[in-house]
Amino acid sequence: MLSIIIPAYNAEKTIERVLSAIFSQTCKQGFEVIVVDDCSKDKTAELAGKFPVQLIKLKQNSGAGRARNQGAK
């Protein structure tokens, strides 16, 4: 299985476009999408929740690297 990990911080302007592009692919089997919300102060988590993703919300802003590592765990 392929895991697509997306670290997101205040990404409300782009998260829907990114997720729409991923889920519009013809190959829909064999992958999961994990969005790691790095303490966004906008509607990133709410918008990501409209898609069939695993949403992880970090309790403290830690940067993209740590967010990716949390998604990989």
Side-chain angles (χ1 to χ4, degrees), residues 21-29 31:
I22 290 170
F23 287 106
S24 69
Q25 299 299 311
T26 56
C27 176
K28 296 185 180 179
Q29 298 292 328
F31 72 87

Side-chain angles (χ1 to χ4, degrees), residues 2-70:
L2 174 69
S3 296
I4 302 169
I5 302 169
I6 303 170
Y9 176 74
N10 291 341
E12 74 178 353
K13 292 180 181 179
T14 57
I15 194 71
E16 285 184 294
R17 187 174 63 204
V18 169
L19 294 173
S20 291
I22 290 170
F23 287 106
S24 69
Q25 299 299 311
T26 56
C27 176
K28 296 185 180 179
Q29 298 292 328
F31 72 87
E32 66 178 343
V33 179
I34 302 167
V35 176
V36 184
D37 181 18
D38 195 14
C39 290
S40 295
K41 294 175 173 64
D42 63 5
K43 295 181 180 181
T44 298
E46 180 182 327
L47 296 172
K50 294 179 180 180
F51 293 86
V53 301
Q54 179 181 352
L55 180 62
I56 299 171
K57 293 176 137 188
L58 299 182
K59 294 179 182 177
Q60 179 179 351
N61 182 276
S62 305
R66 179 148 195 245
R68 271 190 294 276
N69 290 338
Q70 287 299 114

